[in-house]
Amino acid sequence: MGTMDGEKSAIMNSIDRYAVFGHPIKHSKSPRIHRLFAEQTRQSLEYSAQEVPAEQFSAAAKQFFAEGGKGLNCTVPLKELAWNYADHKTERAQLSKAVNTLALQPDGSILGDNTDGIGLVTDLVVNHAIILAGTRILILGAGGASRGIIAPILDQSPQAMVIANRTVDKAVNLAAEFHGKGPITGCGFDDLKNRQFDLILNATSASLSGQLPPLPAGLLAENGNCYDLAYGNEPTAFVRWAKENHAAKSLDGLGMLVEQAAEAFFIWRGVRPKTRPVIELLNSERQL
Ligand code: NDP
């Protein structure tokens, strides 16, 4: 519940408004997730989805906050624009050069944060009991999602982290940016031959078009786990690959989606919702 002091009296009867901006946004699960969180924590708020192409982002965000909006989530293709839009940023957002959560501050400024990385780590470590410390981790892809997850995973002290990407330079450059934070290198898919990993994370957008990066046989270590950041109502191409390669766990990104939302909800409302019932509900609605 918002505080209702003097300054806010003009809007004291209006409900706190939040939204997700993106393009396309029609199939976003975020409004549903945030409404479930609000119900569960008895918070009174409104959360909508708004179709916002990149060229309209700045004007749309300005209008949203001018009209009393309290916070925004930003998704594809707006995370870099949201990073530029924020007046100030958390350290993790600063590092990831992408912002998925904007929050109105008491002084009227807009704080930018990135909750994707912590959302993934929480899903892996807490929900699925996957240990990251001392393991060999491979991240496929070197786009915005990879950038957001590298630092939170390195914080878990893996033995080695490799970023592999179709455009090799992007992987090498991205790894170089994080050299000071842990044992990380970048390479192309061809360089993965004769290597083995305990955890393979797919952060390419290939799954969205039913495709799979070229992965050599034997890439996944015995008892290794696989996680696709993408998710769908059917198993993704990478989740199917994981099962064919006998992964101990073959997971997709629905849990990460719910966890990053919970972190955003906490930033906005100061209340941490329980994620398990929401993940279970969304999982029960799809046939995996
Ligand atoms: P970007 O567009 O920034 O990056 C896409 C990456 O995928 C690039 O590395 C690109 O390689 C690679 N790629 C695309 N197509 C192929 C292909 N056919 N074969 C091999 N590599 C390919 O996307 P994002 O980083 O923003 O998103 C990546 C994925 O993560 C998406 O599926 C998105 O849905 C998911 N995601 C999930 C979240 C969640 O909460 N579950 C949160 C954030 C993202 P190249 O550089 O060579 O073009």
Side-chain angles (χ1 to χ4, degrees):
M1 315 284 154
T3 52
M4 295 195 183
D5 53 25
E7 263 185 83
K8 288 187 179 164
S9 59
I11 51 163
M12 71 188 265
N13 291 319
S14 67
I15 192 164
D16 286 353
R17 284 195 306 118
Y18 300 86
V20 57
F21 283 6
H23 181 65
I25 203 65
K26 211 167 78 199
H27 298 292
S28 171
K29 292 185 193 292
S30 292
R32 177 99 193 279
I33 293 170
H34 281 281
R35 282 173 207 149
L36 288 166
F37 286 164
E39 219 171 86
Q40 182 205 105
T41 58
R42 295 165 195 267
Q43 296 275 301
S44 174
L45 58 87
E46 194 181 283
Y47 188 109
S48 60
Q50 202 172 314
E51 189 74 45
V52 178
E55 59 278 12
Q56 288 167 21
F57 173 73
S58 180
K62 212 167 170 182
Q63 185 182 357
F64 178 82
F65 286 114
E67 289 174 359
K70 296 283 196 261
L72 281 179
N73 281 139
C74 301
T75 184
V76 177
L78 307 173
K79 291 182 188 178
E80 283 83 9
L81 293 171
W83 191 85
N84 281 320
Y85 184 88
D87 296 315
H88 42 102
K89 292 173 268 278
T90 60
E91 196 193 340
R92 61 191 181 193
Q94 198 67 42
L95 273 171
S96 66
K97 296 204 174 133
V99 153
N100 75 338
T101 304
L102 292 170
L104 178 70
Q105 301 299 287
D107 66 359
S109 66
I110 305 295
L111 174 71
D113 201 350
N114 189 328
T115 65
D116 282 338
I118 190 69
L120 171 67
V121 169
T122 303
D123 197 36
L124 287 168
V125 174
V126 179
N127 299 343
H128 297 290
I130 292 174
I131 293 162
L132 304 179
T135 61
R136 298 160 295 175
I137 300 176
L138 171 64
I139 299 181
L140 306 169
S146 301
R147 182 179 276 288
I149 64 176
I150 290 173
I153 295 176
L154 285 176
D155 283 346
Q156 300 289 312
S157 309
Q159 183 194 110
M161 179 189 277
V162 173
I163 313 291
N165 196 46
R166 181 173 59 183
T167 311
V168 181
D169 280 2
K170 271 173 71 179
V172 172
N173 293 337
L174 187 58
E177 270 188 57
F178 289 88
H179 268 161
K181 299 222 149 262
I184 179 173
T185 52
C187 65
F189 295 126
D190 283 348
D191 305 306
L192 296 175
K193 285 183 194 118
N194 303 319
R195 300 201 63 172
Q196 272 206 327
F197 296 90
D198 305 298
L199 173 64
I200 306 178
L201 299 158
N202 181 28
T204 71
S205 47
S207 284
L208 300 176
S209 49
Q211 290 176 309
L212 194 65
L215 303 175
L219 189 63
L220 186 66
E222 213 175 316
N223 294 319
N225 296 300
C226 289
Y227 193 106
D228 198 341
L229 272 63
Y231 53 86
N233 286 331
E234 313 263 311
T236 66
F238 180 68
V239 167
R240 291 199 303 273
W241 179 89
K243 287 183 175 152
E244 283 158 19
N245 285 269
H246 313 292
K249 289 180 179 163
S250 312
L251 306 165
D252 77 3
L254 187 72
M256 171 181 177
L257 179 77
V258 174
E259 294 297 344
Q260 66 74 29
E263 197 70 24
F265 192 92
F266 177 69
I267 291 164
W268 293 329
R269 310 298 299 181
V271 180
R272 208 170 270 287
K274 287 195 185 74
T275 50
R276 194 167 293 265
V278 176
I279 294 172
E280 277 172 7
L281 178 67
L282 295 180
N283 259 329
S284 72
E285 290 170 357
R286 53 187 196 155
Q287 318 278 314
L288 284 184

